[in-house]
Amino acid sequence: MGSTLQNPACQHCKDRFSSVFCKAEQCNLEEIDQAKVCSVYKKGQVIFHEGAYPFGVYCINDGKIKLSHSGDDGREQIIRLVKAGDIMGYKALLSNERYTATATALEDSSICFIPKDLFMSILQKDAALSFEMMRILSSELRKAELKITHLAQKPVRERLAETLLFIKETYGLEEDGHTLSVRLSREEIANLVGTATESAIRLLSEFKKDGMIELEGKKIRLLDIHQIVKTANLQD
Amino acid sequence: MGSTLQNPACQHCKDRFSSVFCKAEQCNLEEIDQAKVCSVYKKGQVIFHEGAYPFGVYCINDGKIKLSHSGDDGREQIIRLVKAGDIMGYKALLSNERYTATATALEDSSICFIPKDLFMSILQKDAALSFEMMRILSSELRKAELKITHLAQKPVRERLAETLLFIKETYGLEEDGHTLSVRLSREEIANLVGTATESAIRLLSEFKKDGMIELEGKKIRLLDIHQIVKTANLQD
DNA sequence: ACTCTCCCTTGATACATATCATTCTACGGG
DNA sequence: CCCGTAGAATGATATGTATCAAGGGAGAGT
């Protein structure tokens, strides 16, 4: 468990305008505000575990989280990157099943927990919120299906380039306008791409040699985004 | 377009108990019943095309449909198999985007079309239907994420075995209790597995040699399901 | 400052799978 | 009925990627 601290009000949450709840009715927001519990999780800490039963949804106040499956042979597959304003854990809750993924903090994160019963009851009466949930689910599903196609049809090189762009889209860049603002291990990058760690390393080195990126420990600087897009070979 | 014919009433649709609409309120069902248009599509006919704008959702009355992406190099990736009682086209509708997949009839099929406005307005007022939609979306998302993990981590042999089981789960078996009740080309099977057609053919031959299956044209008989499960190496 | 450990890196090799080429088969139309 | 064509099957080969093995570097804790 993360350590509990003073709950920031949802109405003042810095990402309230981009989150699901921006569509929720004000009275429901207040209700959530009173029931939620906000905690801080340290980098590397697990928020919930694959196989466990869900008791609510998590709303990221601040921080970065990875959601990952553990494959049959124990290898991790990163399914989703979660950022401030996003929610997680809703899939298991809605389909009334156990978590199918493990949530791990990529850096120190502040996360609100909203109890299941409350979330579900508000979902019943707040059509706008329901709608927004469906929109999110649809969008996630679309992304997942695209990923399936790419995994099945694209070589690792293209998928790695695509992943770099995806990380950039998700977490953005630092002030210099080049450095990815998240530190991932090579293994994590590989588990995002769906390849072996060594392959990811080798290809990153190639990208570097080609002048597309710059590597400095876990810092990755995207130097030539145009070239990366070309390497990713995106057309849909 | 498929040829229009006398609309069967939703209330009498043979799969009404297993479809989304089983949760919908009766009055809404009647409303749908009046507005929907039912058509018959011949095997191979396209119901909707990737890139087109959605004008409603499709509910399968009878038949079998494949939903597929066209990859960058034009190779097809089959995303989903649709059966009677299922709906399709909701993802694009909900996220208000164009279709990301093409729907093609695998055999002659009878399909109802429900106009966008009606569907959306009923979704607004019918919480139970909304809930069911979220349940479906969550479940699809869960399946998609599992598929991602398997594509990234499992060899083709295991994925092929898994696919055979998946086809069986989706469309069931013929009266003999062994034959898959859908005829797919080798290429379609490969596009479901995410591999080259030749690889799928080769592995099917191996499965046959190992006594797991029997092949007769497009008929596939599952002889030793236990062995197929073992080959699929499922544990989650 | 120094070790210890973890992660990164690089190289050598093996293997699964894609690709190309060819033959075989079955089916539908003239 | 036979030909033509599309799909299926099989073989030969190429290649991308995983795996195994070993070295190198950087940060954490003592």
Side-chain angles (χ1 to χ4, degrees):
Chain A
M1 269 301 143
S3 61
T4 303
L5 46 70
Q6 205 189 357
N7 287 347
C10 288
Q11 290 87 345
H12 301 125
C13 177
K14 69 173 179 135
D15 290 289
R16 67 189 177 287
F17 296 121
S18 60
S19 96
V20 227
F21 299 112
C22 64
K23 305 282 180 170
E25 292 166 26
Q26 183 63 25
C27 59
N28 292 329
L29 257 193
E30 284 164 16
E31 212 178 330
I32 289 173
D33 210 28
Q34 279 158 27
K36 75 168 191 288
V37 180
C38 200
S39 309
V40 168
Y41 293 84
K42 288 228 155 287
K43 175 177 175 168
Q45 249 191 305
V46 168
I47 295 103
F48 56 77
H49 233 103
E50 189 170 354
Y53 284 97
F55 293 107
V57 294
Y58 296 86
C59 183
I60 316 306
N61 183 32
D62 194 28
K64 302 183 175 74
I65 318 285
K66 67 172 174 184
L67 283 176
S68 56
H69 270 178
S70 169
D72 298 346
D73 51 351
R75 208 164 85 212
E76 164 186 72
Q77 176 66 37
I78 299 183
I79 291 300
R80 201 178 137 212
L81 294 177
V82 187
K83 61 176 186 297
D86 288 349
I87 58 171
M88 60 184 189
Y90 53 84
K91 186 161 44 80
L93 209 63
L94 290 171
S95 62
N96 211 24
E97 283 167 341
R98 293 186 281 175
Y99 287 121
T100 53
T102 299
T104 312
L106 291 169
E107 56 181 47
D108 296 0
S109 301
S110 154
I111 303 172
C112 294
F113 175 81
I114 301 162
K116 172 175 178 169
D117 291 344
L118 176 65
F119 184 72
M120 295 304 252
S121 78
I122 291 182
L123 217 50
Q124 289 284 349
K125 57 192 181 193
D126 195 328
L129 183 63
S130 293
F131 223 81
E132 189 59 17
M133 277 303 304
M134 285 188 250
R135 229 186 40 73
I136 290 177
L137 283 161
S138 298
S139 157
E140 288 297 321
L141 189 53
R142 190 176 46 77
K143 282 187 236 167
E145 290 174 352
L146 194 60
K147 184 152 188 175
I148 287 173
T149 304
H150 290 178
L151 268 170
Q153 302 190 352
K154 288 180 155 207
V156 177
R157 186 184 173 82
E158 294 183 19
R159 301 209 311 267
L160 175 60
E162 199 179 341
T163 299
L164 291 177
L165 295 172
F166 169 70
I167 297 171
K168 168 180 159 274
E169 289 310 314
T170 307
Y171 291 137
L173 301 170
E174 296 185 354
E175 307 74 49
D176 67 357
H178 291 290
T179 310
L180 291 179
S181 59
V182 66
R183 302 293 127 90
L184 296 171
S185 71
R186 300 294 192 258
E187 190 181 3
E188 284 171 323
I189 293 174
N191 294 342
L192 211 37
V193 174
T195 188
T197 307
E198 296 94 323
S199 298
I201 290 174
R202 254 182 264 272
L203 286 165
L204 281 174
S205 303
E206 281 188 35
F207 285 8
K208 179 182 170 184
K209 203 164 56 189
D210 297 350
M212 285 160 56
I213 61 171
E214 220 169 63
L215 299 169
E216 187 191 330
K218 288 184 177 164
K219 276 189 196 171
I220 299 179
R221 263 187 291 278
L222 309 186
L223 296 181
D224 187 348
I225 291 192
H226 187 68
Q227 187 62 28
I228 299 175
V229 171
K230 227 169 110 185
T231 305
N233 192 21
L234 299 165
Q235 34 225 6
D236 38 7
Chain B
M1 270 298 146
S3 61
T4 303
L5 44 69
Q6 204 189 359
N7 288 347
C10 288
Q11 292 86 344
H12 300 125
C13 178
K14 69 174 179 132
D15 290 289
R16 68 190 177 286
F17 296 121
S18 59
S19 95
V20 227
F21 298 112
C22 64
K23 306 281 179 170
E25 291 166 25
Q26 183 62 27
C27 58
N28 292 329
L29 257 192
E30 284 165 15
E31 212 178 330
I32 289 173
D33 209 28
Q34 278 158 29
K36 75 168 193 286
V37 180
C38 200
S39 309
V40 168
Y41 293 83
K42 287 232 156 285
K43 174 176 175 168
Q45 248 192 306
V46 168
I47 295 103
F48 56 78
H49 234 102
E50 190 170 354
Y53 284 97
F55 294 106
V57 294
Y58 296 86
C59 182
I60 316 306
N61 183 33
D62 193 31
K64 302 183 175 74
I65 318 285
K66 67 173 173 182
L67 282 176
S68 56
H69 270 178
S70 169
D72 298 345
D73 52 351
R75 208 164 83 212
E76 163 186 72
Q77 177 65 38
I78 299 183
I79 291 300
R80 201 177 137 212
L81 294 177
V82 187
K83 61 176 188 296
D86 289 347
I87 58 172
M88 60 185 189
Y90 52 85
K91 186 162 44 79
L93 209 62
L94 290 172
S95 62
N96 211 24
E97 282 167 339
R98 291 187 281 176
Y99 288 121
T100 54
T102 300
T104 313
L106 291 168
E107 57 182 46
D108 295 0
S109 300
S110 155
I111 303 172
C112 294
F113 175 81
I114 302 164
K116 173 177 179 168
D117 292 343
L118 176 65
F119 184 71
M120 297 304 251
S121 78
I122 291 183
L123 217 48
Q124 291 283 352
K125 57 191 183 195
D126 194 328
L129 182 62
S130 293
F131 223 81
E132 188 60 16
M133 277 304 302
M134 285 188 249
R135 230 187 40 71
I136 290 177
L137 283 161
S138 298
S139 156
E140 288 297 321
L141 189 53
R142 189 176 46 76
K143 282 188 236 166
E145 290 175 352
L146 194 60
K147 184 151 188 175
I148 287 173
T149 304
H150 289 179
L151 269 170
Q153 304 190 349
K154 288 179 153 209
V156 176
R157 186 184 172 83
E158 294 183 19
R159 301 207 313 267
L160 175 60
E162 198 179 342
T163 299
L164 292 177
L165 295 171
F166 170 70
I167 296 172
K168 169 180 158 275
E169 289 310 315
T170 307
Y171 291 138
L173 301 170
E174 295 186 354
E175 308 74 49
D176 66 359
H178 292 288
T179 310
L180 291 179
S181 59
V182 67
R183 301 295 128 89
L184 296 170
S185 69
R186 300 296 192 256
E187 189 181 3
E188 284 171 323
I189 293 174
N191 294 342
L192 211 38
V193 174
T195 189
T197 308
E198 297 94 321
S199 299
I201 291 175
R202 254 182 265 273
L203 286 165
L204 281 173
S205 302
E206 281 188 35
F207 285 6
K208 178 182 171 184
K209 204 164 55 190
D210 297 350
M212 284 160 58
I213 62 171
E214 220 170 64
L215 298 168
E216 188 191 328
K218 288 186 178 162
K219 276 190 197 172
I220 299 180
R221 263 188 290 278
L222 308 185
L223 296 181
D224 188 346
I225 291 191
H226 188 68
Q227 187 62 29
I228 299 175
V229 172
K230 227 168 109 185
T231 305
N233 191 22
L234 298 165
Q235 34 225 5
D236 38 6

